[in-house]
Amino acid sequence: MKVLTLKGKDEWKYPELFDEAFRLRHKTFVEEMGWEAVRKSDGRERDQFDHEDAVHFMMLDGGKLASYSRLLPTTRPHLLSDIYPHLAPRGYPKGDHVWEWTRWTTAWPYRRQGLWSFEGGAMLHTVAQYALQSGIRELSLQGHPTWITRFLQVGYMPRPLGIPESVDGEPVVAFVLPLTPALLQSLEDRVAQRTRQDNFALLGAV
């Protein structure tokens, strides 16, 4: 497994990989989760925020896309500013040090044991590492309230920006994840531990 970190401006270099990512997004968010507002006739979920400055994280398993997520600069229009501002009635953080984390999804064959599957842990670590190395100190998100609990369980300290609101019939809350070097080290240790556990499990199954 490896994770590629690509800017939107790199799409012309990896057209097939980006196409696979947009198809995975459509399958997850439209076909599975019912987000009819973003349904596309070509089966590719992409939006106005997939611009040249967007950062795409693509986890590959032998060239096949296993997991995907995206970061957006809050210095440009993003989901919280343009689509869901009502989720943060007292305002939301923005600036070079705050980016929005969106569209995290994993292909069905790799969906196992939540955030601390190998795929989930590796994505958590990769995004946090990239962010801190890029001077990003906070990530804003919108999601089901259970995501706050999930992030708490892996060491984050989420900060809600408002109370849950109904979006397409589901509760959604906006929140911020502060990033620190200590958090990154904790994520790295957890990924290493999970990798050892997976290796032991594979050895035991032979």
Side-chain angles (χ1 to χ4, degrees):
M1 290 272 191
K2 65 176 180 179
V3 183
L4 294 182
T5 302
L6 304 172
K7 290 284 189 73
K9 64 183 180 182
D10 297 321
E11 183 176 351
W12 69 274
K13 299 179 184 178
Y14 305 91
E16 294 182 358
L17 185 56
F18 272 85
D19 186 69
E20 189 175 358
F22 296 137
R23 286 181 179 275
L24 176 60
R25 281 168 45 173
H26 198 277
K27 182 175 180 60
T28 299
F29 301 113
V30 178
E31 297 175 22
E32 295 177 18
M33 299 180 64
W35 293 8
E36 291 299 324
V38 295
R39 179 179 290 276
K40 301 293 172 56
S41 60
D42 64 359
R44 297 167 178 83
E45 192 281 302
R46 60 186 305 167
D47 57 27
Q48 65 268 40
F49 308 115
D50 289 306
H51 48 62
E52 69 276 5
D53 292 329
V55 179
H56 304 265
F57 299 89
M58 304 193 191
M59 179 177 290
L60 304 179
D61 180 10
K64 184 177 181 180
L65 185 64
S67 187
Y68 167 92
S69 67
R70 176 183 72 175
L71 290 184
L72 299 172
T74 61
T75 53
R76 296 187 59 164
H78 54 287
L79 285 162
L80 191 53
S81 67
D82 283 33
I83 309 297
Y84 304 117
H86 58 284
L87 296 179
R90 297 184 179 180
Y92 48 85
K94 58 184 178 180
D96 292 334
H97 68 293
V98 186
W99 282 53
E100 185 176 62
W101 191 4
T102 73
R103 296 302 197 263
W104 186 3
T105 180
T106 300
W108 263 108
Y110 304 93
R111 295 183 189 179
R112 50 183 183 141
Q113 300 183 42
L115 290 181
W116 280 116
S117 65
F118 174 80
E119 295 79 22
M123 184 64 78
L124 282 168
H125 176 261
T126 298
V127 171
Q129 183 179 55
Y130 173 88
L132 284 170
Q133 290 177 348
S134 303
I136 301 168
R137 294 296 177 264
E138 292 185 330
L139 298 174
S140 63
L141 300 89
Q142 308 91 45
H144 194 281
T146 56
W147 276 99
I148 290 181
T149 301
R150 293 175 184 175
F151 279 112
L152 281 168
Q153 290 172 339
V154 297
Y156 285 87
M157 295 298 291
R159 186 175 77 250
L161 296 175
I163 62 174
E165 300 277 354
S166 178
V167 177
D168 294 330
E170 293 288 336
V172 176
V173 65
F175 58 99
V176 171
L177 298 177
L179 299 174
T180 65
L183 172 66
L184 179 61
Q185 184 61 57
S186 176
L187 294 175
E188 187 172 320
D189 292 344
R190 285 173 176 263
V191 169
Q193 180 182 15
R194 184 68 203 212
T195 301
R196 290 194 296 270
Q197 290 174 348
D198 282 358
N199 287 339
F200 290 151
L202 288 171
L203 288 172
V206 173

